[in-house]
Amino acid sequence: MFFMYFYFKTFLFSAMNSTIKLFFLLLILLTGCATEQREVVVSGHYSGQPRERIASTATVNGVVHRYFTDHAELCPEGSFSFTRTTGRPAFVNFLFYGAPSLILEPGREYHVELFFDPSEGFEMNGDFCDVQVFYNSFNHQDPRNCFYEYPFDISNYQAVNKALLADLQKEMEKIDSAYDAGILSQDIYELIKTDRQLYYQVARTVVASANYLRIMAGDRMVPDEVFEIWEDALTAVPTDNPWFFSSLSAYDYLLYTYWHHIYTDPDFDYDEFVKIRIEQREARQAISHTLDRTPEIFSGATLEFFMAAYIADQYARRQPHDELPGVIADFATQYPDSDYLVFLERIKTELEKG
């Protein structure tokens, strides 16, 4: 019996020792495979309408949002410089309407020439590689408005949806061809493909949403096809796609996911909803009213991002802003360690300045 016990104890210790060794080996391998965060330097020159600084999107947790920004001061002659840190290809967007994002790769330096004049539009030039030239060739107007590019009345949602899908298919084929030709690396291929999918799917949700609201304000008989377009768009790009939040269109996609959830709730009453929204706006509680329902739709990191992005979006779009300081304080209580707080606190500071 003693020898059996001794043998079992020896065997158990040996097995545990092997398990521990395997654990540390895996830990070393995983650590070695972790993405190395590297600095990217962007410098350039701005000309056109006078301004004191250049605003561009920051990279936070691999997330990009038009109102999570940093600012680079302009020198008297118009030059500027800023850095970003990333472990994989990422977008940075200069906040001008219709501006294509600049694709950043870890450890590289970029020099850009920016020009903006309200009467002439925006231009971004530089000694760009084939990847940037390729990406710049796509339509970069706000996808919330891009369907107006088509020669159809917005009420003709079937034709607009068909045109959007046709353009999306053409771009997907171009992206596949560029990858097959070796122009795009695997990571940049996935980044651009996800971004352009989101761009067009957002446009499709806008078409569906606009027609839903138009019809509900009239005869109230919303065709099933309107919801089919909306639902099809919202199942096209899952949030667990590792490049989802790297796209400037990610927030808009989630925003229209939110409204689809609200409008298709079995208990939804359009007239009652309109009445409540008017009351909430008058009481300066409309933002809170929207955010109160977000946990029904999103969770985890997606919920945190959407709430922060929605608050920042409302600051940029709504007047007055009486409600925002309290909403930001509530977010800080819920997410005291959030990386997005730096942007929301900046908003709060601006509000306090008046």
Side-chain angles (χ1 to χ4, degrees):
M1 181 66 72
F2 171 81
F3 287 110
M4 290 180 64
Y5 171 75
F6 178 79
Y7 174 80
F8 175 76
K9 185 175 180 181
T10 303
F11 170 80
L12 182 62
F13 179 79
S14 177
M16 289 177 63
N17 194 41
S18 297
T19 301
I20 292 170
K21 286 180 179 179
L22 179 60
F23 171 78
F24 280 108
L25 177 60
L26 287 172
L27 184 63
I28 291 169
L29 288 173
L30 289 172
T31 303
C33 292
T35 304
E36 180 186 357
Q37 298 292 308
R38 299 174 66 189
E39 192 173 81
V40 182
V41 178
V42 179
S43 61
H45 182 269
Y46 169 83
S47 60
Q49 186 182 44
R51 61 186 61 234
E52 295 180 353
R53 56 185 185 170
I54 293 291
S56 58
T57 54
T59 48
V60 184
N61 296 330
V63 167
V64 63
H65 176 55
R66 64 174 60 87
Y67 300 123
F68 294 164
T69 62
D70 286 329
H71 298 83
E73 299 298 322
L74 281 174
C75 295
E77 71 277 11
S79 62
F80 64 88
S81 179
F82 62 85
T83 61
R84 294 288 184 268
T85 302
T86 184
R88 64 180 192 172
F91 289 125
V92 63
N93 185 262
F94 296 100
L95 302 188
F96 297 95
Y97 180 76
S101 295
L102 182 65
I103 300 173
L104 307 182
E105 295 185 74
R108 294 192 59 180
E109 295 186 8
Y110 299 85
H111 184 85
V112 295
E113 297 287 336
L114 307 180
F115 169 83
F116 175 73
D117 186 280
S119 62
E120 299 181 45
F122 172 81
E123 292 181 10
M124 180 174 73
N125 300 304
D127 186 18
F128 294 140
C129 62
D130 291 344
V131 171
Q132 189 67 46
V133 173
F134 174 74
Y135 181 73
N136 288 1
S137 69
F138 297 134
N139 183 5
H140 293 284
Q141 295 187 52
D142 188 339
R144 292 191 189 185
N145 300 320
C146 72
F147 53 79
Y148 291 121
E149 293 293 297
Y150 296 99
F152 308 114
D153 184 280
I154 185 60
S155 63
N156 192 352
Y157 51 85
Q158 297 99 330
V160 178
N161 180 59
K162 184 178 179 180
L164 288 168
L165 285 174
D167 281 358
L168 170 62
Q169 181 60 32
K170 289 177 185 176
E171 288 196 11
M172 293 298 102
E173 290 172 358
K174 287 181 181 178
I175 294 168
D176 287 342
S177 295
Y179 175 68
D180 292 339
I183 296 172
L184 308 179
S185 68
Q186 179 70 42
D187 279 353
I188 291 181
Y189 168 74
E190 298 292 347
L191 173 66
I192 292 178
K193 194 158 190 172
T194 302
D195 175 68
R196 299 311 294 173
Q197 273 276 5
L198 282 167
Y199 181 90
Y200 281 98
Q201 302 305 344
V202 166
R204 295 179 70 209
T205 66
V206 173
V207 171
S209 173
N211 277 284
Y212 170 83
L213 294 173
R214 177 184 61 81
I215 295 168
M216 286 302 291
D219 59 25
R220 307 294 180 91
M221 298 296 292
V222 182
D224 289 342
E225 190 176 1
V226 170
F227 288 107
E228 289 169 3
I229 292 170
W230 203 339
E231 289 160 7
D232 184 66
L234 292 179
T235 57
V237 191
T239 56
D240 61 2
N241 177 322
W243 299 96
F244 181 94
F245 291 98
S246 299
S247 171
L248 203 63
S249 297
Y251 166 71
D252 292 330
Y253 194 77
L254 296 177
L255 180 65
Y256 286 96
T257 301
Y258 174 93
W259 288 115
H260 177 268
H261 176 88
I262 297 298
Y263 296 149
T264 57
D265 188 318
D267 298 324
F268 179 74
D269 183 295
Y270 180 81
D271 293 326
E272 181 65 17
F273 181 76
V274 171
K275 177 184 175 183
I276 291 172
R277 292 297 287 183
I278 292 172
E279 292 173 351
Q280 294 293 335
R281 287 193 184 97
E282 291 176 349
R284 304 288 190 263
Q285 296 177 348
I287 299 174
S288 297
H289 181 253
T290 300
L291 292 177
D292 285 345
R293 296 197 62 177
T294 53
E296 301 173 13
I297 309 163
F298 308 119
S299 61
T302 302
L303 175 61
E304 179 186 352
F305 164 73
F306 179 78
M307 291 181 70
Y310 183 78
I311 293 168
D313 191 47
Q314 295 307 291
Y315 171 69
R317 293 174 181 274
R318 289 183 183 271
Q319 292 287 347
H321 294 125
D322 309 51
E323 185 186 0
L324 278 173
V327 171
I328 293 171
D330 290 343
F331 180 87
T333 299
Q334 186 172 349
Y335 298 103
D337 300 319
S338 176
D339 290 330
Y340 308 126
L341 275 176
V342 63
F343 306 108
L344 301 187
E345 291 295 338
R346 190 184 298 161
I347 290 173
K348 193 174 179 182
T349 300
E350 291 296 321
L351 291 172
E352 289 170 352
K353 289 179 181 178

